[in-house]
Amino acid sequence: MKKEIILKGIAASPGIVKGKAKIILGPKQLGKMDDENILVVPYTSPDYTPAILKASAIVTDIGGKLSHAAIVSRESGIPCVVSTGEATKKLKDNEEIIVNGTKGIVYKQ
Amino acid sequence: MEQKESYINNNDIQRAVSYYVTFIRRPDLPPPTWPAFIEEPKWYLCKYFLRNLYETIIKLRKVVNDDKIAELFRAPSRIGQYLFLLSGFGFSDLTAQEKIELIKSLLKYMGYYRKRDVFCTDRQNMIWNFKKVNEMLDRGKIFEIKENPKLARTIGRINVALWMYCQFINVMYHAMTHEFHGPYSIDKGEEFLLIREYYELRPTPVWSFTSDFLADKITILEIYKNIKIGIDPSGHIEHFDSLPAHLLRVSIFVNDSPVNSFSDIKNLLENCSIIFNKANDFTRNFNKYDWMKKIVKMHYYFLKPHKDVLGENWEPPKAQILLCEKEPTQEYYDFLDKFGSVFMDSTEKGFQGLEKLVMDLIYK
């Protein structure tokens, strides 16, 4: 069955992961994140670290291959797609998605 | 003859400026904006701190030799971070001659550690000799990733946590408290060793919550294969592939004692996560000026070893703290606009324009 593409961005860290999206718009929302959720954010910065440490993948609105999200994803060995433009608007909390960090694509599961 | 003409032949200064401009103009490395735009702290630092740094070095030279002064700085990437203040040099009261002497001194102290290339232009940061590398490998317990594949990702997360922790306590100037070095070739070049040293992780006079962290120093030795890794002179590891996928072996030291079990490694990750939650709680209501005070205090705090040798107080003067409670001047914002417009020009002309702008700040 062909997967539906929801978002396209830059492939920042390789790998494919399925999981639940958690949209986090600021450090005050970090408590939403459970282990192995997919972190969906405008961008990452150090104060997002507690959520990053739980994430099975990261998807961001902005950034490039040397952005913070890309670097921490490659360090952690988790897939990452950056520069999707609208991930935090298009995705919903607990939506089941597939993140392909090798191709830079996010699919509906 | 105007002083500006003398810099054409001043290779050290030219190299420092070229390095700075090349680094900040990397097109896919976005300038940090957490918790403020990267250029903003420079106004707060350059007015008093630069003179403090310069005069501390000059006074120390009367009592100890340059090698000892270099050792007081602890590591070359920390010294490299001071060069990031170059774009703020025009707002210091140092004379042109003093600025030149300061830059030359910083380069000399970086060279104490980096015998090959101060600016790591070949993307290798070689600080230890082979004797030291072998000593550390012999002293620690080496964990094989193939025996526990999940360990690779745990190590990755620990490094993310520690690197972010350094960003947090140094407020953007992360390499003040870490040194990443290597890659050191081992096993006939088939494998290589990357060393991550995180130190001064409990700067309690500036950040009281850090007393809860389990270590002042953590060293991680990682052996990789089949991945290209480079290290720049400001403490960034350059890689475009998943690090855990290529990690073969790891050895960890906490406060110079080897870590001997998987559960201790897991405990380290948990501690990192806990301290981060404390850091976020501590700074939850911070405004911009609170962050600026912390950046400034950390810069002064790292000169405590130097001040101890001189028998002087390391803490910032009252005028410095008061400065941190004010907005930068309109002159500085005008400068940032001018700097920004030249910065955005991605052509060779833009590069040369930025170099000239920074040179003029030094020779102003």
Side-chain angles (χ1 to χ4, degrees), chain B residues 101-117:
Chain B
E101 181 56 39
L102 177 58
I103 295 170
K104 286 188 167 189
S105 300
L106 294 175
L107 292 178
K108 184 191 293 188
Y109 301 138
M110 285 167 78
Y112 170 82
Y113 295 94
R114 292 179 180 149
K115 307 295 185 205
R116 269 168 59 147
D117 177 2

Side-chain angles (χ1 to χ4, degrees), chain A residues 54-82:
Chain A
K54 292 181 180 177
S56 61
I58 300 178
V59 180
T60 71
D61 290 343
I62 62 174
K65 282 193 171 180
L66 285 181
S67 63
H68 182 274
I71 293 170
V72 300
S73 297
R74 293 194 295 267
E75 283 278 2
S76 315
I78 60 174
C80 178
V81 178
V82 298

Side-chain angles (χ1 to χ4, degrees), chain A residues 14 28 30 36 45-47 49-50 52-56 65-68 71-72 74-78, chain B residues 26 28-30 34 153 156-157 159-161 163-164 167 196 239-244 273 276-277 280:
Chain A
K28 290 182 181 172
L30 296 182
E36 303 303 315
S45 53
D47 44 355
T49 300
I52 292 169
L53 295 179
K54 292 181 180 177
S56 61
K65 282 193 171 180
L66 285 181
S67 63
H68 182 274
I71 293 170
V72 300
R74 293 194 295 267
E75 283 278 2
S76 315
I78 60 174
Chain B
R26 283 163 64 175
D28 51 350
L29 184 65
W34 175 92
R153 194 165 156 202
R157 283 171 155 168
N159 278 317
V160 165
W163 183 49
M164 290 299 100
Q167 284 227 3
R196 307 196 206 218
H239 54 85
F240 292 96
D241 201 348
S242 163
L243 286 181
S273 191
F276 239 104
N277 285 322
N280 275 341

Side-chain angles (χ1 to χ4, degrees), chain B residues 103 130 155 171 260 279 308 317 344:
Chain B
I103 295 170
F130 282 111
I155 298 298
V171 197
N260 290 315
D308 285 347
M344 292 306 288

